[in-house]
Each structure stands twice: as C-alpha cells, then as structure tokens.
Amino acid sequence: MIREIHVFKDNQILFKDVVVPNNELDSDGVMTLVSTSAKKLQEWTIDSMEIERFRYVYMNSNDTQFILTMDRQSSLQKVEEALMRTVSKFMTAFERDILSDKWMSTDFSPYGVAFRDIVTRIPVKVCLAGHGGTGKTTLLELATMPDQAPPSEYVPTFFADKAFLEGDFAPYVCSIFDLGGQDRFVQEWNKIIRAGSVVVILSDSTEENIEWTKRVAFPALKSDLPYARAIAIANKQDLPDALTPEEVGMMLDVPAYGMQANNPDFRDRWLEILKDLVFETIEFRIVGEIAGVQDYDRLW
Amino acid sequence: MPEGLAVLKWDNELGPVVTTKTPKKLMKGLDPTTAMRVYGIATMGETEESQRPGFTSLVLDEFKLAVYYGGLNNHLKGHPSMVFLVLGQEEDPDVYKDALPEIATQVFLHAEDEEYIGMLPGLYKQIVRYTQMTPEQRQVSILNDPIRRGILRILMRNGTVESSILEQTIFEEVGREIDADIVLRPLVKAGIIATGWVEGLSSEVIYLTRALFLLRNVSINTVRAVKSGEIPGEVAGPFLDETKDFHRNYSADLRADLHKTIWREAEELSQYLLDVDSYEILQILREGPRVTSELPSMLDLPEAKVKKKIKELEKADITVRLKDDAGNEHVLLKSNPKVATVYPEWLIQSTVESYTEEDIPSRQAIHYLEVLKHSHPSMASTLDVGESD
C-alpha cells in the first residue's frame, strides 16, 4: 500500500500527495533525510530505507528526487515498479519544465490524478484472522457479496479464500484474504499473509476464543506481519453471553469493534470500520506491539 | 483428451494468478476459490517434502485437475509455481503423473523473461504425446534435455555434488539459472538420483544412484536374419562389412574418450528416439530387416515421408539401405540405440579416493557410499525394449 509521494528538486517540494498521513514520525525530517540520500543515487536507480513500520522507496531522475512512502510490509517489488511508472509518467508530462528553469513556476498538481491511478494498482491486503467459526467468511461475504444471504451453516474454510472489495476506499481497492481458522491451517498462514497491510482479528466474543487467539493466532501473525496494523472484531454480539467489545479489546490488547456479521444491517458499519482502518482514522494496534501471552497477566 | 493447460503464480496481494493458459478460452478450474484450494492442497504441511515440487490430482464436481506444484521456493518468490491440466470427468489424472512434471519443469525452467508463455501451446500438445511414450522414450527425454543431460554428466563424473554447486556449474556450462529442486525431482522419482542433507553443508547434496546413457548396440535380430539367409547374399555381405566397420570405430571412440562419446551420442540419438515417425521405424527394424517399400503401409505414412525419415536415420548411422539384384531396397539396422541404466560402480572407488584426498567433505563421501550400498543391485540393469541381445 502506497501512502504518500514527495517529489523534490533543489530541496524544494515540487509535488506531494498524502493519501494516508504518517502521524508517528517527524515527516519533514524523514523526507529531508530520504531526499538527501536520493540525491546521491545514479539516474534510474532505486533504493529504499525502512523506518519503523514505513518504507521509503526513492529514485533520482534529472536531479529530481521521487519518494514513495509505503507500508513496510507491502511488496517492495510492486512498489518499485510503481515508482518507475510514477517517474516515467511525471517526466512524460513535465520533463521540459524540469530540464529548464520553468519548474520553479510550474503547477504540478494535475499530476495527482496519474499518481492516484498508480496507487490503485496495488491492492491493500487485508487478512481476516481468527479461529474457525468466528465468522471470517461471513464477514468477507458481508463486504463483498451484499446480495447473498449470510451462510446458514458453518463450512470450515480450507486454506483460505480471497475476494476483492472496491468500496468507498478510493484510491485504494482491498484484497481481502479469509484465512482458514482450523488449527491445521494456522501453520499455513505464513504462506498466505505476506505483504499484508491490515489484519482484522475475528473473535466470537468468548473467553475461550480469546485464549486461543492469544495462544495460537498472535504468534503466527507477529512472526510474519509485525508491522501490519490490526483491530479486533468482537463478533456475535447478538449472543447472550457475548463479551462486550471493550472486554474483548482489553483481553486481546487490540482495539475491538462490535459486530454481527450474519446481519446485513451491519454491512455499512463493517465497511466503515475497514475504511477507517485502511486510512488509519480509528484506533488500531501494530501487530508486533500487541502484548505477548506472557504480558497478559501484567495487563490484568 | 485434456481440456486445457494453465500456469499460475502466487501474488502476495492477489493470491493465485493465472499467468497464461491454453486454449485461451479455458475457464474451468481457474476461479480464485479452486485455485486457492489447490495451492492449499499442494503446500499443506510444514515438512520438507510438502514444500517440494510434486504432483497432485483433484476430482471436482464437473471436472478433474492434474496439478504440478513447483515448490515453495518458486511459490514465495512469485514465480510461476503451479501448472494445472484440466481434465474431463471421465479422465484419469494419474495418466499424466509422468507427463505433467515433464511439461511443468519446462515451464519453470523457462520462467525468466516469461519465455514459457510462448511455449505453452506446444507443451500442451506434447502432453498427450508424452503419455503415449514408451518407458524407453521417457528415459530418453531426460537425455534430450540439455540441463538434465548436464546434471547427469556432472554426476557421472563426480557421483555426488552439493545442489548449490550443481546450480552454479549448470549456469556456467549450459548458461541457464536453475532451481535444482525443480529439475531434480523427476530424476529422483525415476530412481536415477537421491538427495539428502549432510551436517555442515549449507545446501542439499545430490547423489547418483543410476547412470543413464544411450549406447549403440549391434542389432541381434538383424544379424540373425542376415546370417540365416533371410536377406539376399548381395545385401548380407555388404551389410555385415559396413556394420562391423561401424562398430569397430564406435568401440574405438568409446575407448578413446568414453564421456565425450556418450554425451555426444545422447544429444544426437535422443532426437530420433523422441521423433514419433523415426521411433516407429526403429521399432519395426528392431524386429528385423525390411524392404523399404513395405514400410509406408506398415506405418500408415506417405512414402515420401518414410524415405525422408529413413535417410535421416541413415545419416545418423542407425540404418543402412542396400539394394538386391532384383532392385529391391532393403533397410536394416546398422546400430540399435539403446538406453542403459547402470549402477555406477566406478564411483565407489572414486568416492573413496575423494574421501582420502579430502576433495569432498568426509561426511558427504560417507553418506554417498551408504547411498551406493543401499542402491546396489546384483548386476547392472538395462531397459527392456523388446529385443534381447
């Protein structure tokens, strides 16, 4: 997932577009650092650097520095290809200006459309993780197959399922992976979840399930997606003994949001939560920072 | 008859993606749900074996799939890693369990620059032909592939080699980067090599358990027919002289430089054994000499084509044509190409020497000697091609 673009020349920003802002780092300071490094690169050479959960992929062309900010765990190869396209499109439109002094007065803002088109090409990978029977497939279908009635019986997902979601997420589209939740499939997650930006942890809002999630799911997720952002869905809130979302969130050490995935009325809420998670406008947790099993006693 | 062939790769953001297929309209089995399940079935498990290339078959409601997985290495790198052969309900996927790995291996070996995309329609046609191959032809197909020929050449010389060194040597000799696991799996299955891990070595070790090569034999059936008077004397005499001369020279070549001769012969002879028409002619002539004019009806081929093929075989010193006094042209086998799988006994001594000289790690040498001990037959075996010598 590409988050931002910055284009520098002579230490000035020619163009920038921030789709999802980085609120955790001193963005100006980071950009100064990265653009300084980019200046030293040979023409059309790509390099990258990682800071916390972000990766900065950069290139120097005609003494102009192009920097894409991406989620650290997204596919580097795809973002590098996107950067090549970005620079190519930019130069096609503005090369004359860049090579003369006109760039100082050029309006580069029309380039935003082309950039957002490039951003759209790399789907945001969303992983629905949780034990079997917590409602991952129902939640996937609630988002991607709104005309279909919720499944009436539980059929365990074999390995994984996947569907696209083109909702109100522009410029992003989501590629949602529903991970098989049977114990035998959890050991396969590492083959599926690479490059995940977002993890949605499904719980059926029972203590037993929360214990399983901490013991089985978290180690797998932490091992392969330590920089992904995560929320929990406290599903099956319609059941009489369901823990509240607050309780689920506290027990998992991940912000939790209540849900009834088998109720079509919850579709808008689910899409809103997903959108807010992608754009980082709700509370979430970085997977690698979720308390480990040994830390939970301390939390309580 | 299969309904189509498709190549898939794993894309981290998209999951399974069809990179190419033939025919272009092929849809069955390629929906995301089926493709995802096939990846699951092929890769399930944490064992080393489950992550290696392998054949799987699936029976679905309206069709069947024969699948060859290229291994976790290709899978995680986002290279082509799965080849689907879509079959009708009435077909048995196991019929393709030898053919599909062959075809899929060619796909994986030509993944660079997406060369395999242009090759796929041709490979698809080969699949059916491959299922009709004799066991002899299947072994020949190993020798016809420059990469596997190169691997066998190295192993018949050294006996054992680390897979990383093998990959490097093949790159230097054949000019192609390979994933040893993909190339070697069919050889392991054929019992020609074994693989294993040796403590202290960073990559898997490959061991030769059976040497494979193509030799030219004297055709006993032909000589018997000639000597028993079935062939006119004016044909028999020149045939025996020419055959004797040829085999004398051939034996001298083998004595002078065994390795050079057998690998040159493997490259040359394999193409005739894999050519459908040439092979059919060869099979007929293995039974005994024929008058050329009989062959078109026996082969159900036009006369011109038969003549062309016989000329090619003659040029390769496989056949000879001679006319009798009545003007009939006889075609006879001058040499009978034959695949031989042989226990590599000579490698026992050379491995002991390598151990003594410390040319290879001692554990590797000991392990290979154990492998040789376990794979030792009482005598060398050759493939039965329907003619005893």
Side-chain angles (χ1 to χ4, degrees):
Chain A
M1 172 181 150
I2 297 171
R3 305 167 64 100
E4 306 175 16
I5 182 171
H6 289 77
V7 182
F8 286 88
K9 189 167 179 69
D10 288 355
N11 301 320
Q12 291 185 45
I13 292 181
L14 299 190
F15 175 80
K16 85 167 180 178
D17 187 357
V18 178
V19 188
V20 181
N22 168 1
N23 296 320
E24 294 160 31
L25 300 172
D26 169 9
S27 220
D28 292 343
V30 170
M31 281 304 146
T32 304
L33 172 74
V34 179
S35 63
T36 304
S37 184
K39 272 184 203 170
K40 296 172 188 165
L41 287 179
Q42 289 187 333
E43 191 83 359
W44 288 99
T45 303
I46 295 179
D47 204 348
S48 66
M49 70 170 74
E50 295 154 1
I51 303 176
E52 297 190 358
R53 65 186 178 98
F54 309 101
R55 178 179 273 136
Y56 301 88
V57 186
Y58 49 92
M59 178 193 265
N60 190 28
S61 176
N62 292 315
D63 291 323
T64 310
Q65 295 78 49
F66 295 81
I67 304 166
L68 293 181
T69 306
M70 60 184 277
D71 281 347
R72 180 166 173 170
Q73 302 214 176
S74 297
S75 295
L76 179 58
Q77 187 193 343
K78 282 191 184 166
V79 176
E80 286 182 348
E81 287 165 6
L83 180 58
M84 295 289 271
R85 271 200 299 276
T86 301
V87 177
S88 177
K89 283 198 171 185
F90 189 91
M91 285 303 171
T92 302
F94 300 112
E95 190 166 26
R96 278 190 198 165
D97 297 356
I98 291 289
L99 294 175
S100 67
D101 286 341
K102 280 172 68 181
W103 64 267
M104 286 183 273
S105 56
T106 302
D107 173 18
F108 293 100
S109 62
Y111 180 70
V113 176
F115 169 67
R116 294 221 167 196
D117 179 51
I118 289 168
V119 170
T120 303
R121 294 187 191 196
I122 304 179
V124 179
K125 183 168 179 176
V126 178
C127 299
L128 304 182
H131 204 189
T134 50
K136 298 181 295 299
T137 304
T138 311
L139 203 59
L140 175 73
E141 291 180 357
L142 181 67
T144 60
M145 303 167 90
D147 299 331
Q148 186 170 299
S152 53
E153 58 179 300
Y154 170 55
V155 179
T157 299
F158 181 89
F159 194 61
D161 264 330
K162 196 220 81 180
F164 266 119
L165 178 62
E166 288 183 60
D168 182 20
F169 295 89
Y172 298 121
V173 294
C174 290
S175 179
I176 307 180
F177 285 69
D178 161 18
L179 310 177
Q182 304 290 304
D183 283 32
R184 66 186 173 126
F185 293 126
V186 176
Q187 63 178 2
E188 308 298 326
W189 285 4
N190 64 334
K191 295 169 190 163
I192 308 166
I193 63 179
R194 287 154 60 109
S197 283
V198 168
V199 176
V200 177
I201 299 156
L202 263 286
S203 167
D204 61 8
S205 307
T206 63
E207 286 192 28
E208 184 188 7
N209 169 263
I210 287 169
E211 189 277 326
W212 180 92
T213 304
K214 292 189 292 193
R215 181 172 49 82
V216 181
F218 281 179
L221 295 169
K222 284 182 168 196
S223 163
D224 288 288
L225 292 179
Y227 300 105
R229 48 197 182 276
I231 58 164
I233 291 290
N235 197 23
K236 306 194 180 183
Q237 285 295 302
D238 50 324
L239 297 183
D241 296 329
L243 296 166
T244 66
E246 292 72 24
E247 288 171 318
V248 171
M250 181 68 79
M251 292 167 84
L252 286 175
D253 188 35
V254 178
Y257 301 86
M259 184 62 61
Q260 291 178 43
N262 61 354
N263 183 342
D265 293 343
F266 277 74
R267 182 168 190 265
D268 289 345
R269 174 175 165 75
W270 164 223
L271 294 182
E272 198 61 34
I273 289 170
L274 195 53
K275 181 182 173 185
D276 288 344
L277 179 58
V278 169
F279 287 91
E280 299 187 2
T281 52
I282 52 169
E283 197 188 347
F284 60 87
R285 201 93 158 102
I286 302 304
V287 170
E289 295 170 3
I290 299 172
V293 173
Q294 69 279 13
D295 300 324
Y296 283 101
D297 292 342
R298 184 174 45 77
L299 279 172
W300 285 86
Chain B
M1 177 71 188
E3 296 186 20
L5 185 69
V7 180
L8 290 90
K9 70 173 184 179
W10 180 269
D11 181 295
N12 279 336
E13 269 87 5
L14 305 175
V17 174
V18 177
T19 63
T20 185
K21 59 184 180 173
T22 186
K24 289 291 173 203
K25 62 180 183 196
L26 180 70
M27 300 291 284
K28 274 184 194 171
L30 305 181
D31 61 282
T33 304
T34 305
M36 185 72 89
R37 274 158 186 55
V38 174
Y39 261 92
I41 289 166
T43 67
M44 281 278 282
E46 291 290 289
T47 63
E48 198 184 304
E49 196 57 28
S50 71
Q51 301 178 2
R52 294 187 127 174
F55 178 87
T56 312
S57 62
L58 287 92
V59 177
L60 294 117
D61 288 343
E62 293 172 6
F63 57 93
K64 292 176 181 172
L65 284 176
V67 177
Y68 193 72
Y69 175 57
L72 198 63
N73 194 23
N74 267 21
H75 172 163
L76 295 182
K77 280 183 184 166
H79 296 166
S81 54
M82 199 76 86
V83 178
F84 280 21
L85 183 66
V86 183
L87 304 168
Q89 278 177 315
E90 72 293 347
E91 287 205 77
D92 176 8
D94 280 355
V95 168
Y96 300 94
K97 70 175 190 290
D98 292 322
L100 191 59
E102 273 299 312
I103 297 303
T105 300
Q106 292 306 315
V107 168
F108 300 143
L109 286 175
H110 293 88
E112 209 174 302
D113 301 327
E114 300 185 333
E115 205 182 333
Y116 69 93
I117 291 176
M119 292 165 61
L120 200 72
L123 291 172
Y124 180 47
K125 283 182 193 156
Q126 279 180 30
I127 279 199
V128 175
R129 223 188 79 197
Y130 194 94
T131 60
Q132 293 157 354
M133 279 185 181
T134 63
E136 175 187 37
Q137 285 182 301
R138 286 182 191 167
Q139 289 194 304
V140 169
S141 71
I142 293 172
L143 293 169
N144 189 46
D145 172 13
I147 291 173
R148 280 181 290 183
R149 201 165 57 231
I151 289 169
L152 286 172
R153 196 167 54 222
I154 293 163
L155 287 172
M156 281 165 66
R157 194 174 53 221
N158 301 344
T160 173
V161 65
E162 259 193 90
S163 62
S164 57
I165 296 172
L166 185 69
E167 285 173 2
Q168 180 61 29
T169 313
I170 289 294
F171 181 71
E172 286 163 8
E173 291 190 5
V174 187
R176 193 180 281 280
E177 276 187 40
I178 61 159
D179 178 333
D181 210 18
I182 285 175
V183 184
L184 297 176
R185 288 303 282 173
L187 297 180
V188 173
K189 200 164 167 279
I192 292 166
I193 62 165
T195 61
W197 287 93
V198 172
E199 196 183 331
L201 298 183
S202 59
S203 65
E204 204 170 23
V205 180
I206 319 298
Y207 307 105
L208 186 77
T209 51
R210 285 284 183 283
L212 179 70
F213 41 86
L214 262 169
L215 290 176
R216 292 177 190 258
N217 288 351
V218 175
S219 170
I220 302 300
N221 287 344
T222 307
V223 172
R224 191 177 293 137
V226 168
K227 289 196 168 172
S228 65
E230 287 175 35
I231 302 294
E234 64 271 25
V235 171
F239 168 76
L240 289 172
D241 291 344
E242 192 169 340
T243 304
K244 204 179 289 176
D245 280 351
F246 174 78
H247 283 280
R248 188 182 297 123
N249 292 336
Y250 175 60
S251 302
D253 284 350
L254 287 172
R255 275 194 300 273
D257 194 334
L258 179 71
H259 278 265
K260 189 178 164 190
T261 306
I262 62 170
W263 294 118
R264 187 193 64 221
E265 291 278 281
E267 186 176 355
E268 188 186 343
L269 294 177
S270 58
Q271 56 185 300
Y272 299 107
L273 287 155
L274 293 176
D275 179 89
V276 176
D277 298 331
S278 300
Y279 189 67
E280 278 196 49
I281 293 171
L282 183 61
Q283 291 286 61
I284 290 171
L285 295 180
R286 279 171 166 169
E287 298 296 320
R290 290 283 170 185
V291 175
T292 310
S293 59
E294 295 172 347
L295 291 173
S297 60
M298 293 178 79
L299 294 159
D300 198 20
L301 284 175
E303 192 180 329
K305 190 162 193 181
V306 172
K307 279 190 172 171
K308 181 172 173 272
K309 292 291 170 188
I310 288 176
K311 275 186 184 171
E312 287 171 4
L313 290 169
E314 190 167 14
K315 205 173 166 194
D317 285 317
I318 296 170
T319 60
V320 59
R321 286 176 301 158
L322 294 163
K323 279 191 175 168
D324 63 23
D325 291 345
N328 296 316
E329 186 180 89
H330 297 257
V331 55
L332 307 94
L333 267 191
K334 183 154 91 178
S335 65
N336 181 16
K338 189 158 184 175
V339 183
T341 56
V342 176
Y343 178 75
E345 200 155 343
W346 67 92
L347 290 170
I348 297 174
Q349 183 58 32
S350 67
T351 304
V352 171
E353 285 166 11
S354 295
Y355 173 82
T356 312
E357 303 287 325
E358 297 183 355
D359 290 338
I360 57 174
S362 57
R363 282 200 181 95
Q364 184 180 351
I366 292 165
H367 197 186
Y368 185 37
L369 290 171
E370 281 169 7
V371 169
L372 284 172
K373 183 179 164 188
H374 287 118
S375 57
H376 185 271
S378 56
M379 57 182 186
S381 63
T382 53
L383 198 76
D384 179 10
V385 292
E387 185 187 356
S388 57
D389 296 309

